[in-house]
Amino acid sequence: MKKLMAILLAMSFLAACNQSSQNTEAKDAPAKVEAPKVEKSAVQTPKPAAMPEMKTEIQKASYAIGSMQGARMRMDIEKMQDIKLDKELLEKGFTDGINDKSAMSQEEVQKELMAYQQKLQEIMTKKQAEEAEVAKASGDAFLKENASKKGVTATESGLQYEMISEGDGKNFPKAVDTVKVHYVGTLTDGSTFDSSVERGQPAEFPLNGVIPGWTEGLQLMSKGAKFKFYLPPDLGYGARALPKIPANSVLVFEVELLEITPAK
């Protein structure tokens, strides 16, 4: 049982390495490319394996578990474009491990897995740095062009905004106040990464507890106003990549100020 658990943990490790790289690396939306047309006769569809003889529920469950883990590992291997694992050796290692015939000791297995994880991390870090540099240049170009548009105002910090509706013109929040807002956050390509409107629930928070662009921008709004903000990376999340926000992203927010609760 311990040997089986070790194999399953190793498989989970590979899946986790791949998932980690997906969650942390910056993602640039690729342009849509038409797939080349392939004649139906040229498409090779893998034939399913012959069904082994299985009489008991345990036998069926055993095959199902192996099939599921194998399919997961196949998908992980296909996704790991930077370091291609050797499929035959992977299958050999699994077979040897589950039969207690591994050519590597547990110490050697751990050593190689750690080295593999480190290599993945190095590749991912380099890739993120390259993508962040490209994103920074793209964001700078966007902000430069956007600043020249009619109705857009830029502040000394680099924050850009435009007024959609004015509000009451009397009640403005201070940085120490708590505000209730509805908002939609998008990237410059229009993709939404967060939206209180979609959730159907306004957000409420202390104004000095959010990203700098919000702390500055909302103090320009009066109650009932609706603004559109364009935040350069240093007023947003900077060079830190988030699941839906690549590093060095310019953030676009459409914000409606609903309520202001003065600090006590």
Side-chain angles (χ1 to χ4, degrees):
M1 177 62 73
K2 290 183 178 179
K3 292 292 183 182
L4 178 58
M5 289 301 297
I7 294 298
L8 294 176
L9 285 172
M11 289 166 27
S12 298
F13 168 85
L14 293 175
C17 287
N18 180 61
Q19 185 63 39
S20 175
S21 65
Q22 286 182 320
N23 288 342
T24 55
E25 68 179 14
K27 302 178 183 66
D28 290 324
K32 186 177 180 180
V33 179
E34 293 294 333
K37 293 182 179 180
V38 180
E39 295 296 330
K40 289 185 178 180
S41 59
V43 177
Q44 300 295 323
T45 303
K47 293 182 179 180
M51 180 68 74
E53 184 177 353
M54 295 177 286
K55 296 181 179 179
T56 69
E57 293 300 320
I58 293 298
Q59 288 177 329
K60 294 176 182 178
S62 298
Y63 183 83
I65 291 171
S67 177
M68 176 186 67
Q69 295 291 354
R72 285 180 177 176
M73 293 196 73
R74 173 182 55 79
M75 290 187 288
D76 288 337
I77 292 170
E78 291 172 353
K79 290 175 183 176
M80 292 177 184
Q81 299 297 322
D82 298 306
I83 302 180
K84 276 291 186 182
L85 294 173
D86 188 308
K87 192 173 181 179
E88 290 184 3
L89 284 175
L90 187 64
E91 184 177 355
K92 173 66 174 170
F94 177 81
T95 302
D96 288 349
I98 204 168
N99 289 300
D100 200 16
K101 296 180 180 180
S102 177
M104 288 184 177
S105 66
Q106 286 298 310
E107 291 75 16
E108 289 173 323
V109 168
Q110 291 298 324
K111 178 183 176 182
E112 295 305 323
L113 289 178
M114 292 301 294
Y116 175 72
Q117 185 182 37
Q118 182 176 353
K119 186 65 176 177
L120 275 181
Q121 185 63 44
E122 290 172 356
I123 291 174
M124 186 172 62
T125 300
K126 181 180 178 182
K127 189 175 182 180
Q128 286 178 345
E130 292 171 349
E131 291 176 338
E133 187 175 343
V134 172
K136 180 67 166 63
S138 175
D140 288 346
F142 172 86
L143 289 170
K144 182 178 181 181
E145 180 181 355
N146 193 64
S148 64
K149 292 182 178 179
K150 184 178 180 181
V152 174
T153 301
T155 69
E156 188 174 342
S157 69
L159 172 70
Q160 296 180 9
Y161 68 93
E162 55 182 309
M163 182 188 297
I164 299 174
S165 59
E166 186 176 1
D168 66 15
K170 299 177 181 179
N171 298 292
F172 293 83
K174 298 181 178 63
V176 294
D177 294 340
T178 295
V179 296
K180 180 182 286 188
V181 301
H182 253 321
Y183 68 92
V184 176
T186 63
L187 302 177
T188 56
D189 64 2
S191 59
T192 301
F193 58 81
D194 193 13
S195 173
S196 69
V197 176
E198 290 182 2
R199 290 191 296 271
Q201 180 66 45
E204 189 170 2
F205 47 81
L207 197 48
N208 58 7
V210 290
I211 53 178
W214 272 59
T215 304
E216 177 186 356
L218 266 76
Q219 292 183 77
L220 302 172
M221 303 175 67
S222 63
K223 183 178 178 181
K226 193 171 186 178
F227 276 33
K228 193 168 188 177
F229 295 109
Y230 305 87
L231 279 58
D234 58 337
L235 297 181
Y237 297 105
R240 180 162 55 101
L242 299 177
K244 292 185 179 181
I245 304 175
N248 283 335
S249 289
V250 171
L251 306 179
V252 182
F253 288 99
E254 190 168 295
V255 184
E256 182 180 8
L257 180 55
L258 304 174
E259 294 180 14
I260 304 168
T261 303
K264 295 181 180 179

